[in-house]
Amino acid sequence: MTFDELNKKLGGGESPENWSQHANGGGWLNRKAKVDTSAFVGPDAIVLGTVYGNARVYGNALVYGDARVSGNARV
């Protein structure tokens, strides 16, 4: 997903400097997100929350707020 597609999904108004793509999977991470390098964030997933350990976030998943995905969880 491109940044423009991400911005559209989130309703617009997002700044590119607040986002990066995860090295393991290419999914989008907000600057406030906490994501381990060992986690996988798929190319269409968006994380604003926390993803720890070997957790995997796939598809159009959106992890936000106080959500925490950890261990060997699959979302």
Side-chain angles (χ1 to χ4, degrees):
M1 155 176 27
T2 66
F3 176 77
D4 289 337
E5 292 168 328
L6 165 80
N7 195 26
K8 185 176 180 180
K9 271 189 168 184
L10 296 177
E14 297 297 323
S15 298
E17 59 270 4
N18 290 329
W19 293 90
S20 63
Q21 288 182 280
H22 195 267
N24 190 10
W28 287 93
L29 311 178
N30 182 271
R31 66 179 175 84
K32 294 181 181 178
K34 293 181 174 75
V35 181
D36 284 351
T37 57
S38 57
F40 175 85
V41 180
D44 294 321
I46 301 170
V47 178
L48 294 102
T50 304
V51 182
Y52 291 120
N54 293 317
R56 304 289 185 248
V57 181
Y58 297 104
N60 292 314
L62 174 60
V63 178
Y64 67 98
D66 293 331
R68 293 174 187 215
V69 181
S70 62
N72 292 316
R74 306 286 189 257
V75 176

